[in-house]
Amino acid sequence: LTITISTLMFLQPMMKILILLLVSISATAFVPNHPHSSAIRDKQSNCRHRICTETRAVSPGVNIALVTSSVALLSGYHIRLSIEEKNNQDNGSCVTWRQYQADAREQWARHVKDSDGWLYAIQTLRNAMTAQSFLASTVLSLLTLITGKVWDILRSASNIWERRLLIIQLLTISATMLFSANQFLQGVRLMTHAGFMFPVKNDTKVDNIMRKTESCQWLGLRSMYISIAPIAWVVGGGRAFFASSVALILFFRQIDK
């Protein structure tokens, strides 16, 4: 329960930022049929025009360089993080936040078996599964809103290259958010399996499963955060993609300590 509450408290500010950003993108997706609907549609058209203008304001070569640099920064950071965690595990030195949480879940599983705290285990697993199910459903709901808005912009695009760019952007957003939801659901599946194994398995299988649940939760949260970058790409072009990637790396450096 303590782990779940602390996780939700940690997620709250980032979830607020993500939800506000996505709601601002999708707020005009549905326009009611009233006398001012034509004016609202004109504003929608102007919004699409501003997005296209922002994209054209930077040359294609600079845009490609910004997007490539953003992907390289995010990929390089996580490759370096994986190498650092492997070295920490081999040397027994200071661990990262993901390793600390995985160790805590493994120790928790051993404590439950040693103390026969089955009721406590059921309550903790139930709260953790509820939190991750909520995150999965939230990510999928936001992806539905984003897909509807981007599809609306895609239909109104007249340039074939703009359409292809929007398709790539939509696929990037969908890949990150679907991967995030899948990891949350995989964590729920593993915790459900662990709940059935606790009373009948005395080996380390349950400990390893609980360690995997932390990995699933970490990957789900990380993919959810990374999805902000391609969303910014749709809204502000390559420069916004690069700026959001740098901001994400600074944020990751704080939470991965």
Side-chain angles (χ1 to χ4, degrees):
L1 177 60
T2 304
I3 295 175
T4 304
I5 293 175
S6 62
T7 301
L8 290 175
M9 291 177 65
F10 169 73
L11 289 176
Q12 187 177 6
M14 286 302 297
M15 286 296 295
K16 284 182 179 179
I17 295 173
L18 182 60
I19 291 173
L20 287 174
L21 177 62
L22 299 180
V23 169
S24 65
I25 295 174
S26 58
T28 58
F30 303 99
V31 180
N33 188 15
H34 54 74
H36 303 288
S37 60
S38 59
I40 297 176
R41 291 191 183 94
D42 290 339
K43 291 182 179 180
Q44 289 181 339
S45 178
N46 292 335
C47 179
R48 300 187 195 103
H49 177 70
R50 283 196 300 271
I51 292 175
C52 295
T53 303
E54 178 67 24
T55 303
R56 296 193 192 100
V58 182
S59 65
V62 175
N63 262 319
I64 292 174
L66 288 170
V67 173
T68 305
S69 300
S70 302
V71 175
L73 284 173
L74 290 171
S75 302
Y77 172 82
H78 288 95
I79 292 172
R80 180 178 176 274
L81 179 64
S82 299
I83 295 174
E84 181 182 347
E85 288 180 340
K86 186 178 184 302
N87 292 335
N88 291 341
Q89 187 175 5
D90 295 338
N91 301 330
S93 56
C94 181
V95 297
T96 62
W97 176 250
R98 174 169 58 170
Q99 290 175 312
Y100 175 80
Q101 289 292 319
D103 292 341
R105 293 199 183 197
E106 188 174 350
Q107 294 169 8
W108 174 83
R110 288 199 295 266
H111 169 73
V112 170
K113 289 185 295 184
D114 295 340
S115 61
D116 292 335
W118 310 123
L119 181 60
Y120 162 72
I122 290 172
Q123 292 173 339
T124 304
L125 288 174
R126 178 191 61 197
N127 293 327
M129 287 189 289
T130 301
Q132 292 198 198
S133 300
F134 166 76
L135 289 171
S137 60
T138 301
V139 169
L140 292 175
S141 299
L142 294 175
L143 177 59
T144 303
L145 291 174
I146 294 171
T147 303
K149 184 60 180 177
V150 175
W151 183 256
D152 184 40
I153 299 174
L154 182 62
R155 287 189 303 172
S156 62
S158 57
N159 191 305
I160 185 172
W161 296 108
E162 290 178 3
R163 290 186 178 183
R164 290 179 178 178
L165 177 61
L166 283 169
I167 291 173
I168 294 173
Q169 292 170 334
L170 180 58
L171 289 176
T172 306
I173 296 171
S174 300
T176 54
M177 300 191 81
L178 286 175
F179 181 79
S180 173
N182 177 68
Q183 289 300 313
F184 287 134
L185 294 176
Q186 289 301 314
V188 173
R189 180 184 68 84
L190 289 172
M191 283 186 282
T192 303
H193 191 47
F196 285 102
M197 292 180 64
F198 261 128
V200 296
K201 293 290 184 180
N202 295 323
D203 51 16
T204 61
K205 289 183 178 180
V206 180
D207 305 348
N208 295 332
I209 288 177
M210 291 308 301
R211 194 173 190 89
K212 290 179 181 178
T213 62
E214 168 57 27
S215 178
C216 290
Q217 178 175 313
W218 187 89
L219 288 171
L221 290 173
R222 191 52 52 101
S223 299
M224 183 183 69
Y225 294 148
I226 290 176
S227 67
I228 296 175
I231 293 171
W233 187 17
V234 175
V235 176
R239 289 179 293 187
F241 192 6
F242 182 80
S244 61
S245 299
V246 173
L248 283 171
I249 289 176
L250 295 176
F251 172 70
F252 292 154
R253 286 175 60 86
Q254 293 297 319
I255 65 175
D256 287 332
K257 291 181 179 179

